Amino acid sequence: MTAYLKITPNYNAGTHALTVNVTGKFMKDTTGTFKIALYLTEDSLRGAQIDNTLPPPYFDYNYVFNDVFRGCINTSGTIIGDTLANGTVLANTQINYTTPNSFTVNASFVAAHCHIIAILYKTIDWGVLQAAESKLIP
């Protein structure tokens, strides 16, 4: 394991404002440019899904979708995330990242079904060093 991550969300249900703090540490020496991307997903969405095992018109109108991507929390409009470190990072280097801006969770999303995904990756090859997940409302 190259890094350890822990997600701590701060969600205001009244305003739908979300900030996220990610802590952790690098577990071994590594070199490169490292980014952290934070994504919001939602589970338990119901809708139509084609199912060829059903009679025509082949739709399951009560299909449950999980892990539906809802947006990038820390870099709106893109999925690349923010630079966390650049150059040589030594083992036991602490990670302490807080989203620079508040993310507004769409009021139509069911907060109890939402999750935050954090991905720490190396930019040269998009190799994922570590990923973590947390409920929006722990």
Side-chain angles (χ1 to χ4, degrees):
M1 175 180 357
T2 305
Y4 164 79
L5 299 175
K6 179 183 176 193
I7 301 168
T8 305
N10 181 11
Y11 177 64
N12 182 316
T15 64
H16 304 286
L18 170 65
T19 57
V20 179
N21 182 251
V22 180
T23 56
K25 68 179 178 177
F26 285 87
M27 305 298 285
K28 64 180 186 178
D29 297 352
T30 188
T31 301
T33 299
F34 305 95
K35 291 196 174 210
I36 188 161
L38 302 176
Y39 305 125
L40 184 71
T41 64
E42 186 178 4
D43 288 343
S44 305
L45 299 169
R46 293 191 179 272
Q49 173 73 20
I50 292 176
D51 183 345
N52 289 330
T53 66
L54 297 174
Y58 310 109
F59 284 103
D60 176 352
Y61 291 98
N62 204 25
Y63 186 83
V64 178
F65 294 89
N66 290 313
D67 303 314
V68 176
F69 178 77
R70 292 303 205 169
C72 190
I73 296 168
N74 60 334
T75 50
S76 179
T78 178
I79 61 168
I80 62 169
D82 286 330
T83 300
L84 185 64
N86 191 15
T88 299
V89 180
L90 302 176
N92 295 314
T93 298
Q94 296 296 308
I95 295 169
N96 190 0
Y97 173 83
T98 301
T99 50
N101 301 301
S102 177
F103 176 84
T104 302
V105 176
N106 188 307
S108 69
F109 300 169
V110 178
H113 295 168
C114 290
H115 294 84
I116 298 163
I117 310 292
I119 298 175
L120 174 63
Y121 70 95
K122 193 171 186 175
T123 61
I124 195 160
D125 61 3
W126 294 84
V128 174
L129 278 65
Q130 189 56 273
E133 180 179 15
S134 171
K135 293 181 178 182
L136 175 63
I137 303 172

